[in-house]
Amino acid sequence: MDVLSHLATGFSVALLPLNIFLVLMGCFIGTLIGSLPGIGPINGVAILLPLAYALGLPPESALILLAGVYYGAEYGGRISSILLNVPGDAGAIMTTLDGYPLSRKGEGGRALALSAVSSFAGSIGALILMVFTAPMLSQLAIKFGPSEYVWLMVFAFTCLATMVGSRPIKTLVGVVIGLLLATVGVDSGTGVLRFTMGIPNFFDGVDFLVVVIGMFAISEVFVLLESWALNDLKITPIGKSFVSMADMMHVKWVVLRSTLMGFLIGVLPGTGASIASAVAYGIEKRFAVGDKEHKEHFGEGDIRGLAAPEAANNASAVGAMVPMLTLGIPGSGTTAILLGALMMFNITPGPLLFEQRPDIVWGLIASMFVGNIALLVMNLPMIGIFVRLLSIRQSYLVPVIVMLTFIGIYSIHGDSFDLYFMILLGVIGFLLRKLHFSLAPVILGLVLGEVMEENLRRALSISGGDWSILFNGPITYGLAAATVLAIFVPLMVGSLKKRKALANMADMED
Amino acid sequence: MYDRLFAGILLLLSGLMVWTALQLEVPFQYEPLGPKAFPVMLGSLMSMAAIWLFIKPDSNSWHPTKEIVKKLVAGLVLLVIYAALFERAGFIIATFVVGSVFSWLFGETPKRAGIYAVVMSVVSYFLMASLLQLNVPSGTWWAGLF
């Protein structure tokens, strides 16, 4: 079996002492970040990225750490959803609907345990799907030429525009802002300086880290400043209840369906955990209505309504890594940052990654198996620690966030210019969020901008300037058709009501 | 209203970018597209999007009170002060000053905010500088003194 030998390679990387330590660290920090209201995975990864870079970790170790934060946060998000009725991150919004009623009934322990098991099942299920589909996808992607890549990105941005955020036009604007930011600096083809305004710091481009930290972490500080009020959030007690075998049997099909759904939505470029969990919840609700044996009471503490979004959001976090690793197209906002992280290490994710650096790809995949087992342990017997950490006050938290962002950014170049630029981007990011532009598209545009331009220019130099090269071969037709589908299907399916619900989510990123 | 304002700024900026891109002087070029085409295409796309947004803006849902605006400005000023002090006064002092005010802004009593900020800045300085070997500034103002 090919897969088994690949996994063996992976585990030989993942089980190095340093990497075991990092995956445990990542999962712990991730769970913590996920559980603290307001700070989601994207912020956690953004804040830790410059530190991981400055520490001089090898690329696979840095990726293992940051990915641990990402999927750890998908576990952690549910804790405050269930106990406080405040979602810890975007993927956990749907978890409040049935999780909080359960904890109000004194079954908080049962809800936490069941959702931990669902999360675990979702992650592991999606990981198994990833192990088999990712190599296949990378085989297909080897056939991609420049025109196919251009189409792939157009498809990714279309998916993003029609499915994420409050209005397609606003998402489009976000993407274009990101793409334009990517053009700043010296042009690799001709050596011409573009849009640098004579500032030497921009000659080698706008620093990815500064944009990410400014847009996400600094704007988050403003959001926290705005929303903060002296509110004593009451944590409902966990109680003695625990998950039973009967509960798990009751939701097994729910978890299986939601895992599949979450994985597929995760793989779609740009759509992440918040959409996956919303769709899974909606589907299960419809299934439950038809179920004669068990009357549905979704919204009042139905365990099916708790298991579905949790399995789906974890599965989507895993799924989002598949296109990132195989195609170099991130499946969600957070994976866009992971992709940027890889690029900073001079590693270009894409189909060749599987052949040239199997240690990175399979090491990451193997570390996710290890991490998920660790997370299950952290989230079942050790859940009490995180519950206690939930009551960390923002007056202690915010100074730490601000400090970490400044240390991280300063340590890249040792130049105060980056700090000022980061603050400016933070203000812009905050204003964009207030006007209901989501920020994930900006990051996706920034990460993909250079690749897109390069491929477009390469395609046209092959054809000598003839644009018809964008339509040659079955793959380009397929991707073009998929793009058209991505424009029209959501328009037909998505009722106005759903858009409104998603618009409310646009304020939180995943 | 804010949407319209923003769309106007976008339109201006995208126009500026297209104009700047067209002004680029390319001494030599091996491929048909060159460095101008991509920014010009993006700029045009952006200006079209901006016009659409100008014609059909969202209704405004953000109504910050005076209190909130004050707080946001205070936060911004603090961040700028932090950036200005970071290199010159050094990490410990800058973090102490800014950290304690932030902690106080989020509802901590001045005394406890101060104590917390001292502990945080000193502990993290040694953690970051010695343990993690990061480039943490010790302050150019004091460089001559020690």
Side-chain angles (χ1 to χ4, degrees):
Chain A
M1 277 290 275
D2 226 16
V3 171
L4 288 182
S5 70
H6 288 319
L7 273 178
T9 322
F11 276 105
S12 70
V13 175
L15 294 178
L16 293 174
L18 171 71
N19 292 342
I20 290 188
F21 171 73
L22 287 174
V23 79
L24 293 180
M25 273 304 280
C27 289
F28 180 83
I29 297 172
T31 310
L32 181 63
I33 282 173
S35 66
L36 293 169
I39 307 163
I42 206 159
N43 276 308
V45 174
I47 294 170
L48 283 183
L49 176 54
L51 295 178
Y53 189 57
L55 282 175
L57 292 175
E60 66 275 10
S61 301
L63 194 64
I64 284 171
L65 171 73
L66 296 171
V69 175
Y70 180 31
Y71 56 81
E74 301 296 346
Y75 274 78
R78 67 187 220 292
I79 301 175
S80 61
S81 293
I82 291 170
L83 296 179
L84 294 172
N85 203 18
V86 178
D89 60 29
I93 294 172
M94 304 312 280
T95 313
T96 56
L97 299 180
D98 283 283
Y100 187 62
L102 272 171
S103 77
R104 285 274 300 274
K105 284 189 227 162
E107 296 186 348
R110 180 177 166 219
L112 283 174
L114 180 75
S115 55
V117 174
S118 309
S119 297
F120 178 74
S123 284
I124 295 291
L127 264 173
I128 293 169
L129 285 171
M130 181 182 187
V131 166
F132 289 100
T133 53
M136 277 169 13
L137 201 57
S138 84
Q139 284 304 315
L140 175 72
I142 286 180
K143 299 198 182 79
F144 279 29
S147 340
E148 280 86 358
Y149 264 104
V150 172
W151 271 111
L152 194 61
M153 290 187 211
V154 173
F155 172 63
F157 294 140
T158 314
C159 281
L160 202 63
T162 52
M163 287 184 247
V164 180
S166 58
R167 274 175 68 186
I169 188 77
K170 291 197 163 177
T171 312
L172 180 70
V173 169
V175 168
V176 178
I177 291 177
L179 289 171
L180 279 171
L181 274 176
T183 63
V184 174
V186 67
D187 168 48
S188 55
T190 55
V192 172
L193 288 175
R194 293 190 291 187
F195 310 122
T196 55
M197 296 171 279
I199 301 170
N201 300 65
F202 288 149
F203 284 3
D204 59 351
V206 175
D207 201 298
F208 174 73
L209 284 173
V210 181
V211 179
V212 168
I213 299 248
M215 286 253 173
F216 289 100
I218 298 291
S219 78
E220 187 66 40
V221 171
F222 287 120
V223 170
L224 288 173
L225 264 173
E226 187 192 7
S227 62
W228 183 82
L230 249 184
N231 48 352
D232 278 318
L233 291 168
K234 254 262 179 300
I235 300 179
T236 45
I238 305 182
K240 284 261 183 290
S241 61
F242 200 67
V243 66
S244 66
M245 208 57 206
D247 283 344
M248 287 196 255
M249 284 295 121
H250 185 34
V251 296
K252 63 177 186 238
W253 295 116
V254 173
V255 168
L256 201 68
R257 278 192 297 263
S258 304
T259 302
L260 253 173
M261 204 64 228
F263 181 77
L264 288 177
I265 292 177
V267 170
L268 271 187
T271 51
S274 52
I275 294 175
S277 57
V279 170
Y281 189 87
I283 289 178
E284 286 313 319
K285 196 172 173 178
R286 228 165 281 165
F287 263 103
V289 171
D291 189 349
K292 294 281 182 300
E293 274 173 67
H294 307 280
K295 253 186 80 139
E296 67 103 13
H297 43 278
F298 271 56
E300 298 153 31
D302 193 315
I303 54 172
R304 286 168 290 183
L306 176 65
E310 275 309 310
N313 69 24
N314 283 275
S316 81
V318 176
M321 297 205 194
V322 173
M324 177 193 90
L325 291 172
T326 54
L327 303 169
I329 307 276
S332 69
T334 312
T335 40
I337 300 184
L338 293 179
L339 185 76
L342 277 177
M343 286 174 167
M344 280 176 12
F345 285 104
N346 270 329
I347 290 162
T348 318
L352 293 177
L353 191 64
F354 277 76
E355 278 165 26
Q356 289 167 351
R357 298 297 302 267
D359 53 325
I360 293 183
V361 180
W362 292 101
L364 174 67
I365 294 174
S367 85
M368 287 166 75
F369 279 104
V370 177
N372 274 293
I373 293 167
L375 279 165
L376 191 64
V377 175
M378 284 183 204
N379 281 284
L380 286 177
M382 290 163 62
I383 186 74
I385 299 174
F386 292 105
V387 173
R388 218 160 296 147
L389 288 173
L390 258 191
S391 46
I392 295 182
R393 304 169 65 166
Q394 292 199 328
S395 57
Y396 296 150
L397 196 62
V398 174
V400 173
I401 295 177
V402 173
M403 176 189 80
L404 287 178
T405 59
F406 273 66
I407 292 182
I409 291 302
Y410 186 80
S411 64
I412 311 172
H413 297 131
D415 190 343
S416 292
F417 173 84
D418 289 340
L419 299 178
Y420 292 112
F421 187 42
M422 165 183 85
I423 297 171
L424 176 70
L425 286 164
V427 173
I428 294 172
F430 175 72
L431 293 176
L432 285 176
R433 282 167 82 164
K434 284 293 129 189
L435 297 177
H436 297 291
F437 286 83
S438 43
L439 298 177
V442 180
I443 298 302
L444 249 73
L446 178 64
V447 171
L448 296 181
E450 213 180 310
V451 194
M452 185 169 178
E453 184 181 8
E454 221 167 74
N455 278 299
L456 185 63
R457 282 162 75 170
R458 206 174 292 156
L460 288 177
S461 21
I462 293 171
S463 71
D466 183 2
W467 286 81
S468 66
I469 190 162
L470 291 180
F471 289 98
N472 74 327
I475 302 178
T476 51
Y477 297 138
L479 284 167
T483 307
V484 175
L485 274 180
I487 296 174
F488 289 107
V489 169
L491 280 182
M492 288 187 284
V493 176
S495 59
L496 266 169
K497 223 160 107 196
K498 212 153 151 204
R499 239 199 207 293
K500 277 266 159 62
L502 289 178
N504 295 333
M505 270 181 211
D507 288 350
M508 289 181 98
E509 309 280 343
D510 61 323
Chain B
M1 176 58 204
Y2 289 131
D3 263 12
R4 284 230 160 104
L5 192 69
F6 182 72
I9 295 171
L10 271 186
L11 191 60
L12 207 73
L13 279 179
S14 53
L16 199 69
M17 285 199 97
V18 171
W19 183 76
T20 321
L22 289 174
Q23 300 298 308
L24 284 177
E25 271 181 46
V26 187
F28 55 89
Q29 177 178 326
Y30 302 110
E31 20 102 35
L33 215 50
K36 292 181 185 179
F38 194 63
V40 170
M41 277 158 52
L42 289 176
S44 325
L45 188 63
M46 175 87 103
S47 53
M48 281 189 279
I51 291 170
W52 188 357
L53 203 60
F54 193 85
I55 297 169
K56 286 183 74 178
D58 284 343
S59 61
N60 198 9
S61 59
W62 189 40
H63 307 282
T65 61
K66 230 182 196 161
E67 211 49 30
I68 284 174
V69 172
K70 244 191 240 164
K71 243 179 162 174
L72 290 174
V73 171
L76 178 61
V77 170
L78 263 181
L79 286 173
V80 173
I81 291 176
Y82 198 17
L85 286 181
F86 202 70
E87 207 167 31
R88 291 182 206 140
F91 173 81
I92 296 185
I93 292 178
T95 307
F96 163 66
V97 173
V98 174
S100 56
V101 182
F102 258 117
S103 181
W104 171 71
L105 267 181
F106 279 89
E108 199 49 87
T109 58
K111 202 168 126 197
R112 289 182 57 173
I115 296 169
Y116 174 68
V118 169
V119 175
M120 181 184 83
S121 57
V122 173
V123 169
S124 27
Y125 179 80
F126 287 104
L127 208 67
M128 299 290 166
S130 334
L131 196 67
L132 299 183
Q133 307 265 310
L134 289 178
N135 173 16
V136 189
S138 52
T140 50
W141 281 348
W142 333 113
L145 295 178
F146 300 106

